[in-house]
Amino acid sequence: MSRPLTGVRVVEFAGLGPGPFAAMVLADAGADVIRLDRPGEPADAGALVRGRPRLEVDLKTDAGRETARLLVQRADVLLEGFRPGVMERLGFGPRECLAENPGLVYGRMTGWGQDGPRARQAGHDINYLALTGALRSVARRGEAPVPPLNLVGDYGGGGMVLAFGVVTALLERRISGRGQVVDAAMVDGVSLLMTGIWSRAAQGRWSDEPGTNDIDTGAPFYDVYATADGEYMAVGSIEPQFWARLLRGLGIDPESVAAQWDRARWPETKERIAAVFATRTRGEWTDVFDALDACVTPVLSMAEAPDDPHLSSRGTLRRGPGGVAPAAAPRFDRTPSAPAAYPGSAEAALRRWGVPEAVSAP
């Protein structure tokens, strides 16, 4: 069955985090991806490396360089996630690769970008969030910032932006016939994801003090509340109709609490709501709010999420031999994506790409 990126060939120079995530997204959409690993590197496992065979290539040897060169010549896309200058030193920088393959889309994944004072510094997700203002914004009032796992930098602002850039460049190639370099920097991607918050700030609707705004736990209608069994309920009752249903579900008379947008009284309103949530278990509150459509849901653990009735019915999280893995996203009705299985061995991939197996022999 044809998938959205069927026929697109991708060479992935193995890295960590966002690069493999972008390769996985492309593979799920049908791209033919080959992952090049250094000899002796422990083989990665899990969903991040699904959908493509792993080929050990020593770029310090003539045979290894020739294998990589032949693959790059035949590829539509190259993905790499090294610090600036590393691929150039290996002889596989954009200039060399585009000279041999002018239609190549060369995807570069870094934290700081290809230029700027920090371009060659090391860093991780938390550092990129810290510099962009995103990390400081994720905190309760008067408390230290909380890193939102590595979802925002590595995956949302990194790998997903890289995948979008690659597909966009492939579409542009249909017009120009030429490839180009995609510079995906996590500081840029994280800042892009913060567009809505920057817009609020520009309109005077956002305070730089964390935990005092309407969607950062400052408001009583957008927070998590503990239940009687030590679990939590998530409340996102922003619109007035949902706020009214929240109060109805909690059994609170609207006349007995401050108006929804009375910011000065948000702390006392939150205390009132928290006291009511603490009287019942998460399961009991779930039953109450499932019937009210008030934007109130249980907070599930990773162990619980695959069994949620909604996620289970959609097959969003699937159990397999290697554990739980997310389904491909987004979904297409005519050319469906799917969590890609390995399309045969690395040797089979070389044959499919027309690269002699003997070239890659040690």
Side-chain angles (χ1 to χ4, degrees):
M1 178 183 294
S2 178
R3 290 188 284 164
L5 294 182
T6 294
V8 173
R9 290 178 168 177
V10 180
V11 175
E12 172 197 2
F13 285 76
L16 299 174
F21 179 74
M24 181 203 77
V25 169
L26 298 177
D28 284 353
D32 185 353
V33 185
I34 297 180
R35 176 180 170 91
L36 304 186
D37 256 322
R38 289 177 295 183
E41 277 294 299
D44 288 335
L48 275 181
V49 293
R50 72 189 180 200
R52 64 264 199 203
R54 173 179 182 264
L55 180 66
E56 290 192 358
V57 173
D58 188 351
L59 296 178
K60 296 180 180 179
T61 66
D62 291 341
R65 285 192 296 272
E66 181 65 6
T67 297
R69 188 180 69 83
L70 291 173
L71 288 170
V72 171
Q73 285 179 349
R74 291 158 171 77
D76 298 290
V77 178
L78 181 153
L79 299 179
E80 64 95 359
F82 302 115
R83 293 195 209 184
V86 171
M87 288 292 282
E88 284 81 355
R89 290 195 294 273
L90 291 171
F92 287 92
R95 181 177 306 207
E96 296 87 350
C97 292
L98 285 163
E100 294 200 10
N101 183 355
L104 183 69
V105 172
Y106 195 108
R108 314 199 81 168
M109 183 76 258
T110 60
W112 305 114
Q114 296 298 314
D115 52 35
R118 294 182 184 269
R120 284 171 171 74
Q121 287 185 6
H124 282 294
D125 182 291
I126 192 171
N127 307 117
Y128 313 132
L129 268 63
L131 212 66
T132 58
L135 181 60
R136 187 68 186 92
S137 302
V138 185
R140 292 186 176 277
R141 188 173 190 172
E143 297 185 9
V146 177
L149 305 182
N150 63 336
L151 304 177
V152 180
D154 279 349
Y155 299 123
M160 194 66 79
V161 169
L162 174 60
F164 169 74
V166 163
V167 172
T168 302
L170 287 172
L171 288 172
E172 191 280 336
R173 191 181 67 174
R174 294 182 177 181
I175 300 170
S176 67
R178 299 169 58 195
Q180 60 182 305
V181 176
V182 178
D183 175 5
M186 282 179 258
V187 290
D188 298 344
V190 169
S191 297
L192 183 67
L193 294 177
M194 287 281 286
T195 299
I197 306 303
W198 284 110
S199 295
R200 287 169 180 256
Q203 297 168 42
R205 297 191 297 118
W206 190 262
S207 167
D208 211 29
E209 182 182 0
T212 64
N213 298 286
D214 55 351
I215 58 170
D216 66 354
T217 75
F221 50 80
Y222 203 92
D223 205 346
V224 295
Y225 292 94
T227 55
D229 53 349
E231 298 295 341
Y232 296 90
M233 295 294 290
V235 172
S237 307
I238 299 175
E239 292 80 2
Q241 68 271 27
F242 300 135
W243 170 249
R245 293 173 193 168
L246 169 66
L247 297 181
R248 187 192 318 160
L250 293 172
I252 296 176
D253 180 357
E255 299 299 321
S256 69
V257 292
Q260 180 182 359
W261 287 92
D262 186 345
R263 290 175 177 262
R265 297 181 65 184
W266 275 358
E268 69 179 72
T269 304
K270 288 183 71 172
E271 288 183 9
R272 176 81 178 277
I273 291 175
V276 177
F277 267 117
T279 63
R280 297 191 190 182
T281 67
R282 185 185 68 181
E284 290 172 327
W285 285 122
T286 299
D287 290 340
V288 168
F289 285 104
D290 275 354
L292 285 179
D293 194 20
C295 300
V296 179
T297 50
V299 177
L300 303 183
S301 69
M302 288 179 63
E304 295 171 312
D307 296 319
D308 172 75
H310 181 77
L311 300 185
S312 179
S313 70
R314 287 181 58 81
T316 300
L317 296 168
R318 302 176 180 181
R319 288 189 173 89
V324 176
R331 304 185 183 197
F332 302 85
D333 70 339
R334 185 171 52 79
T335 57
S337 295
Y342 286 118
S345 64
E347 291 73 20
L350 290 174
R351 290 194 297 271
R352 189 168 61 249
W353 284 46
V355 175
E357 291 180 58
V359 173
S360 64

